[in-house]
Amino acid sequence: MTDECIFCRILAGEIPCFKVYEDDDTLAFMDINPVHPGHVLVIPREHSANVFEVSDAAIAATAKSARRVAKAVRATLEPDGMNLLQCNGEAAAQSVQHFHMHVLPRAMNDGASLNWELKPGNMDAIGALADRIARALA
Ligand code: AMP
């Protein structure tokens, strides 16, 4: 836990999130600047900045949860495709320095680029999708 890390503060319950899944080692919640509806972030509880610092146990737990979440997102939204994405460093567009994986549903010819702009989402729509995905994970 670091006081400055926004994801550690979400884990501590100091900042709210739209949680879809948690277990002893990981937490999954909706990205509030979704590239597409159903964009979920999966993080380890153990703080590390990036793929170079994360422990083997934490990355394994995160990947396992990400695959589980991906299946729930697919069952909920039936997207054309899905990216599981993980960014490290400024040039890779990493904006939060706590290791995380994006579960990113895709549509055919959606034009999404790897370095996207952050645009605030509709909180009601994000919350409603969080409920649906969480139900698919129950
Ligand atoms: P990255 O660019 O790979 O570091 O991704 C960080 C992601 O965290 C971005 O897509 C942000 O939209 C997302 N994000 C930042 N703060 C929050 C938050 N409080 N709740 C949910 N998602 C967040």
Side-chain angles (χ1 to χ4, degrees):
M1 163 88 185
T2 73
D3 289 344
E4 314 80 49
C5 173
I6 190 166
F7 286 177
C8 283
R9 295 185 67 196
I10 287 175
L11 284 163
E14 295 171 9
I15 294 175
C17 73
F18 295 105
K19 178 175 73 179
V20 297
Y21 177 71
E22 67 178 330
D23 59 25
D24 287 347
D25 303 310
T26 66
L27 173 71
F29 54 97
M30 306 302 280
D31 195 307
I32 56 169
N33 306 287
V35 178
H36 289 303
H39 183 172
V40 179
L41 299 172
V42 186
I43 65 174
R45 294 188 185 278
E46 180 183 294
H47 178 85
S48 63
N50 54 44
V51 74
F52 307 110
E53 295 182 8
V54 68
S55 70
D56 286 351
I59 195 172
T62 305
K64 190 174 172 189
S65 292
R67 190 168 82 119
R68 188 166 176 176
V69 169
K71 287 179 178 177
V73 171
R74 184 177 63 165
T76 304
L77 291 169
E78 298 181 0
D80 296 331
M82 183 100 58
N83 286 123
L84 266 60
L85 182 64
Q86 195 276 316
C87 308
N88 303 282
E90 192 179 348
Q94 182 180 12
S95 57
V96 176
Q97 309 306 312
H98 182 123
F99 178 83
H100 54 279
M101 292 183 70
H102 296 262
V103 175
L104 186 55
R106 297 292 304 273
M108 290 298 290
N109 306 314
D110 60 19
S113 73
L114 278 179
N115 292 2
W116 54 83
E117 283 183 21
L118 299 185
K119 294 187 201 132
N122 177 307
M123 297 304 148
D124 290 340
I126 292 170
L129 271 177
D131 289 343
R132 289 174 63 197
I133 295 167
R135 275 201 299 278
L137 282 157

